[in-house]
C-alpha cells in the first residue's frame, strides 16, 4: 500500500508544474488559485454533506487552516508566483528541491525523528540528481527582478513548516481523526480566503473565462489538489518526514516526462542521467 501511495504522490504532485505552465499565461497566480480552491472547497463540501462526515473540533479546524495556508497559500504563491515574475521553472524547481534537506534537518529537533547517515546521503544524492534534471533551465537573468528569487525560498519554507505541523498532529492524534476529505476541505477553504484577499491587488478576482483558464483550474483541482495534496498528507500518516520529503526529488523528472508527453519538450541526456540519480537518492533515503 505504501509504495502505491508514494507513486501516486510523485505523479500527482508533478502535475502542479504542468498546471502552472497551462494557467499562468492566462491569468495571475492569485486569480488562478482563488478559483482553484473555491472550486475544490465547494466540491469537497458537497461530498462531506452527502456522506455525512464527522466534523472535527475547533482546534483541529484551526490547525488544518494553518496547514492549508502554509502548504497551499505560502508554497504556491512562492513557487507559481516566481515563475509568473520571470524566474525560470528550472531555477524554481531546484530551490523547491531544498525542501527535503530542510525538512530532514528540522525533523529531529521538532519531532524527535532520527535521520540516519544513509538517509542524509540519499537526500544529498537526490539534490544532485534534481540539479542535473533542471540544469539546462537554471539561470539568473534580467527577465526576473532579484526579489522574485526570494519567492520560491519562502514557498519552500512554508511547505516545510506545514509538513512538520501535520506530522506532529499525526503523531498525537487518536483513531478519531478527521477524514481526509474533511481535512482537505478545511485547507482549501483557508487557501481560497487567502488568495481572495491577494487577488484584488495582484491580477484581480475576475476569471479569464477562456477554455485554457478553466482547463488549468480543473487540472489543478483534480490532479494537484485532490491528488497531490491528498497523497502528500496520506503519506505523512504512513512514513517519516525524511522519507516522504525525499519523494519530492522524483517530481522534477516526472514533470519532465509530463512535459514531453503533453508539450513535446525535448529530454536531454543529462536530464535522463539526473533522473536515474534522483531515483537512486530516493532509494538511499528510505527508512
Amino acid at each position: 500500500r505504501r509504495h502505491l501511495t508514494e507513486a501516486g504522490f510523485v505523479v500527482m504532485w508533478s502535475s502542479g508544474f504542468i498546471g502552472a505552465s497551462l494557467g499562468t499565461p492566462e491569468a495571475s497566480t492569485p486569480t488562478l488559485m482563488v478559483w482553484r480552491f473555491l472550486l475544490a472547497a465547494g466540491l469537497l463540501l458537497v461530498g462531506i454533506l452527502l456522506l455525512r462526515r464527522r466534523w472535527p473540533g475547533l482546534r483541529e479546524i484551526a490547525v488544518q487552516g494553518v496547514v492549508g495556508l502554509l502548504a497551499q497559500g505560502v508554497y504556491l504563491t512562492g513557487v507559481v508566483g516566481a515563475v509568473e515574475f520571470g524566474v525560470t521553472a528550472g531555477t524554481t524547481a531546484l530551490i523547491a528541491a531544498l525542501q527535503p534537506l530542510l525538512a530532514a534537518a528540522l525533523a529531529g529537533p521538532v519531532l524527535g525523528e532520527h535521520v540516519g547517515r544513509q538517509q542524509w546521503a540519499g537526500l544529498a544524492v537526490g539534490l544532485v540528481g534534481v540539479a542535473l534534471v533542471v540544469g539546462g533551465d537554471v539561470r539568473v537573468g534580467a527577465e526576473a527582478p532579484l526579489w522574485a528569487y526570494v519567492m520560491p525560498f519562502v514557498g519552500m519554507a512554508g511547505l516545510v513548516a506545514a509538513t512538520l505541523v501535520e506530522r506532529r498532529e499525526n503523531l498525537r492524534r487518536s483513531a478519531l481523526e478527521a477524514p481526509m476529505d474533511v481535512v482537505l476541505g478545511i485547507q482549501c477553504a483557508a487557501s481560497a480566503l487567502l488568495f481572495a484577499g491577494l487577488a484584488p491587488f495582484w491580477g484581480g478576482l475576475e476569471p479569464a473565462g477562456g477554455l485554457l483558464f478553466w482547463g488549468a483550474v480543473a487540472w489543478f483541482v483534480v490532479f494537484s489538489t485532490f491528488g497531490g495534496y491528498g497523497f502528500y498528507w496520506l503519506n505523512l500518516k504512513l512514513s517519516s518526514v525524511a522519507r516522504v520529503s525525499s519523494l519530492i526529488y522524483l517530481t522534477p523528472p516526472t514533470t519532465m516526462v509530463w512535459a514531453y508527453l503533453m508539450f513535446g519538450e525535448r529530454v536531454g541526456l543529462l536530464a535522463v542521467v539526473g533522473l536515474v540519480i534522483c531515483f537512486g537518492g530516493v532509494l538511499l533515503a528510505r527508512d
Side-chain angles (χ1 to χ4, degrees):
R1 177 190 176 189
R2 187 160 67 169
H3 298 309
L4 290 176
T5 60
E6 289 175 346
F9 164 70
V10 171
V11 173
M12 293 301 167
W13 193 264
S14 304
S15 71
F17 294 96
I18 301 301
S21 298
L22 292 171
T24 49
E26 304 299 315
S28 69
T29 298
T31 307
L32 272 172
M33 294 303 146
V34 71
W35 289 102
R36 164 187 178 173
F37 288 115
L38 278 174
L39 182 58
L43 290 173
L44 287 166
L45 180 60
V46 170
I48 290 165
L49 293 175
L50 290 176
L51 295 173
R52 298 182 180 180
R53 295 295 200 192
R54 180 186 61 85
W55 283 93
L58 290 178
R59 181 191 179 280
E60 178 73 359
I61 291 174
V63 169
Q64 291 306 324
V66 170
V67 169
L69 290 175
L70 290 170
Q72 297 174 345
V74 175
Y75 176 71
L76 294 172
T77 299
V79 173
V80 182
V83 174
E84 180 184 340
F85 285 113
V87 180
T88 65
T91 302
T92 303
L94 186 58
I95 294 172
L98 296 173
Q99 190 267 351
L101 289 171
L102 182 57
L106 294 175
V110 175
L111 302 172
E113 292 186 356
H114 174 69
V115 181
R117 292 181 180 179
Q118 180 177 320
Q119 285 182 292
W120 280 117
L123 292 172
V125 169
L127 184 62
V128 172
V130 170
L132 291 175
V133 171
V134 304
D137 194 36
V138 174
R139 60 186 183 275
V140 177
E143 66 272 13
L146 288 178
W147 56 262
Y149 290 89
V150 178
M151 295 181 71
F153 282 102
V154 175
M156 178 267 296
L159 181 58
V160 170
T163 300
L164 296 174
V165 171
E166 181 65 17
R167 179 61 176 168
R168 186 173 62 181
E169 287 298 299
N170 287 336
L171 294 174
R172 67 174 293 277
R173 281 180 187 138
S174 68
L176 299 176
E177 61 189 82
M180 183 60 67
D181 53 352
V182 175
V183 167
L184 271 180
I186 296 168
Q187 294 177 2
C188 290
S191 298
L193 290 174
L194 173 66
F195 286 114
L198 286 176
F201 308 98
W202 178 1
L205 277 169
E206 185 177 354
L211 186 61
L212 283 177
F213 174 85
W214 290 112
V217 169
W219 179 281
F220 273 132
V221 169
V222 175
F223 295 112
S224 308
T225 304
F226 296 162
Y229 282 101
F231 275 118
Y232 189 63
W233 302 132
L234 180 57
N235 276 294
L236 272 180
K237 294 178 183 291
L238 304 174
S239 303
S240 67
V241 167
R243 174 167 177 152
V244 176
S245 297
S246 72
L247 296 173
I248 289 178
Y249 286 148
L250 294 178
T251 57
T254 307
T255 302
M256 176 183 68
V257 176
W258 275 105
Y260 171 75
L261 294 174
M262 293 186 63
F263 308 127
E265 293 186 7
R266 186 180 64 86
V267 178
L269 178 61
L270 195 62
V272 175
V273 173
L275 187 156
V276 175
I277 293 175
C278 284
F279 187 72
V282 172
L283 288 179
L284 274 175
R286 297 167 69 89
D287 51 356

